[in-house]
Amino acid sequence: METLRLVLLMLHILGFAALFGGLVVQAGQPEKTVNAAMRDGIGTAFLAGLLLVGVLEAGDAGVDHAKVGVKFAVGLVILILVMANARKERIPQGLWAGLLLLTVANIAVAVFWSPVHRL
Ligand code: HEM
């Protein structure tokens, strides 16, 4: 089970790294869009995150549901905004900045809020 958790955690990190990279690479560009890295990144991060919760729930360590709830809500907003705008030629600067802010916010929640599973 620990190997599965670690594989999912690696996929989870690769996913939001692609999302973050897909956003930041457009920082200097006047026109913003939803690129494949953002779309596939949040899809992977979200799915792996849900599966991670399942693995942790199946384990005997408690799960911090408040932290997971916040991460789920923020992740869902990012997922919906990215998928809803994935076919558009361009997205507003404000949407791009908002997606970047939400992604960094979820990283901060993951890192600074106590670990999801209480050992
Ligand atoms: C953009 C969205 C997301 C970002 C940037 C993000 C970021 C992170 C980071 C940095 C970690 C590793 C730090 C840690 O071990 O706590 C992590 C772990 C985790 N994330 Fe996310 N996350 C996102 C979305 C989600 C979603 C939607 C869920 C599920 C509802 C989720 C569930 C988890 C769980 C359960 C862990 C802990 C894994 C473990 O300790 O085994 N994450 N996330």
Side-chain angles (χ1 to χ4, degrees):
M1 205 56 142
E2 180 61 3
T3 310
L4 177 59
R5 182 183 79 83
L6 294 174
V7 169
L8 287 172
L9 185 57
M10 187 179 82
L11 286 174
H12 188 58
I13 293 173
L14 287 172
F16 72 74
L19 167 67
F20 184 72
L23 284 162
V24 169
V25 77
Q26 300 182 70
Q29 294 169 16
E31 295 193 344
K32 306 287 195 281
T33 186
V34 170
N35 52 39
M38 292 162 63
R39 186 198 59 220
D40 301 346
I42 186 59
T44 305
F46 196 83
L47 188 58
L50 286 181
L51 293 172
L52 265 170
V53 174
V55 167
L56 294 176
E57 290 284 5
D60 47 23
V63 174
D64 185 337
H65 292 109
K67 177 180 178 179
V68 167
V70 169
K71 292 196 64 197
F72 176 79
V74 173
L76 189 62
V77 170
I78 297 172
L79 183 74
I80 292 169
L81 288 173
V82 165
M83 296 307 175
N85 291 280
R87 295 178 190 283
K88 296 201 177 133
E89 286 263 320
R90 272 188 298 280
I91 60 172
Q93 294 275 350
L95 176 56
W96 173 81
L99 288 170
L100 189 56
L101 210 66
L102 288 172
T103 303
V104 173
N106 238 8
I107 295 171
V109 168
V111 172
F112 292 109
W113 189 331
S114 58
V116 164
H117 54 289
R118 302 189 196 101
L119 295 173

